[in-house]
């Protein structure tokens, strides 16, 4: 369970994308048939409080907000580069 919490915290710290699916059905000839399906993509921005918690977990206590923001930006750049490599 601790790993799941840490993974969720990391996800919040760097931001993530999610999809919301809404399906509309109707009854035709006694059966349910899919009439409409809407998929909406949502981007959840990084959460600085989650980043602070993570940084505190790894021994960066006592950093100023500016230092934490700089570290978050550095980590975001690394993650973006990794995503770009994965897409290739």
């Amino acid at each position: 369970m601790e790993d799941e919490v840490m993974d969720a915290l990391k996800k919040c710290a760097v931001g993530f994308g999610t999809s919301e699916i809404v399906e509309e059905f109707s009854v035709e000839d006694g059966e349910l048939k899919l009439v409409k399906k809407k998929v909406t993509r949502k981007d959840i921005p990084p959460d600085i409080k989650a980043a602070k918690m993570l940084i505190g977990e790894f021994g960066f206590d006592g950093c100023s907000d500016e230092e934490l923001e700089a570290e978050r930006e550095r980590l975001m750049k690394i993650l973006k580069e990794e995503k770009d490599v994965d897409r290739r």
Side-chain angles (χ1 to χ4, degrees), residues 70-86:
E71 180 65 11
R72 184 185 73 80
E73 290 298 322
R74 185 185 73 80
L75 294 172
M76 290 296 292
K77 182 179 177 184
I78 291 169
L79 287 171
K80 183 182 181 321
E81 289 169 357
E82 287 178 4
K83 280 183 183 179
D84 290 343
V85 168
D86 290 342

Side-chain angles (χ1 to χ4, degrees), residues 25-35:
F25 294 88
S26 71
V27 178
E28 293 178 18
D29 300 325
E31 294 183 25
L32 284 177
K33 300 226 178 189
L34 180 63
V35 176

Side-chain angles (χ1 to χ4, degrees), residues 15-19 40-46 83 87:
F16 60 96
T18 186
S19 295
T40 305
R41 174 141 171 84
K42 295 182 179 184
D43 290 316
I44 310 301
K83 280 183 183 179
R87 290 182 183 159

Side-chain angles (χ1 to χ4, degrees), residues 5-21:
V5 171
M6 193 58 122
D7 289 343
L9 184 60
K10 288 176 185 176
K11 189 175 179 180
C12 287
V14 298
F16 60 96
T18 186
S19 295
E20 178 180 30
I21 300 172

Side-chain angles (χ1 to χ4, degrees), residues 44-77:
I44 310 301
D47 183 334
I48 193 70
K49 289 180 183 178
K52 281 183 178 182
M53 288 177 69
L54 270 179
I55 290 171
E57 183 72 24
F58 293 108
F60 290 101
D61 284 336
C63 293
S64 69
D65 286 345
E66 292 80 18
E67 291 170 322
L68 290 173
E69 183 65 27
E71 180 65 11
R72 184 185 73 80
E73 290 298 322
R74 185 185 73 80
L75 294 172
M76 290 296 292
K77 182 179 177 184

